[in-house]
Amino acid sequence: GWTEIPGVMMRDANFTFGENGEGECYVSRLSGDGGGLEANVNRWRKQMGLNPATPEEIASLPHRETLGRESVFVQLDGDYSAVGAASAKKDQRLLGLIVIVEGGGLFVKMIGPKALVEQNSAQFDSFCESLDIQVQ
């Protein structure tokens, strides 16, 4: 039920979902660690209108295995402000996965209306499990 759309800068895979494409899921790869776990978690928290998490809160986030590596799973609810957006979208949910891989970080992010993201959370998990990195 997802629609692949053309990638944009910093998005290796880019999808929309929902009746009007109001949800999105994408994969980004960054060289280095993209600022590190704490910086990325708190960047997402800020986008959702939330205060920064403490190092202890970040350390207690759930872990999953992705690409044969430990990854960190993030779920946030709030009012989402995309980069450059004039106003926040109310009652949104963000699901995110952060994986540190050779030479960089892999980030999977799903965002959309809370109920729609809840309906697509199993698809998010399946998508994350299907990821494979081709080294060139």
Side-chain angles (χ1 to χ4, degrees):
W2 293 7
T3 301
E4 187 170 5
I5 58 175
V8 295
M9 191 168 129
M10 299 180 63
R11 292 187 182 186
D12 294 304
N14 203 18
F15 301 90
T16 61
F17 58 96
E19 190 173 311
N20 299 306
E22 60 271 34
E24 64 179 321
C25 184
Y26 60 88
V27 177
S28 298
R29 288 183 293 166
L30 301 174
S31 61
D33 61 4
L37 178 62
E38 185 173 333
N40 282 285
V41 169
N42 283 326
R43 183 177 305 115
W44 289 350
R45 290 181 64 81
K46 183 178 180 182
Q47 290 174 339
M48 296 299 288
L50 303 172
N51 291 324
T54 66
E56 295 78 19
E57 290 169 325
I58 292 171
S60 70
L61 289 170
H63 289 185
R64 297 182 175 182
E65 185 166 316
T66 307
L67 299 168
R69 294 162 181 83
E70 189 172 279
S71 60
V72 175
F73 175 71
V74 178
Q75 177 177 306
L76 304 169
D77 293 334
D79 298 334
Y80 176 65
S81 293
V83 175
S87 62
K89 295 179 182 178
K90 302 289 185 194
D91 198 28
Q92 302 287 295
R93 173 164 285 174
L94 180 152
L95 301 181
L97 196 65
I98 299 171
V99 189
I100 303 303
V101 295
E102 292 85 7
L106 178 90
F107 306 88
V108 184
K109 183 177 176 183
M110 175 186 268
I111 186 75
K114 185 177 177 181
L116 181 63
V117 171
E118 285 176 357
Q119 293 167 1
N120 282 269
S121 64
Q123 290 89 330
F124 177 82
D125 292 341
S126 294
F127 177 69
C128 291
E129 290 169 9
S130 75
L131 295 173
D132 186 21
I133 293 180
Q134 302 296 317
V135 178
Q136 299 179 5

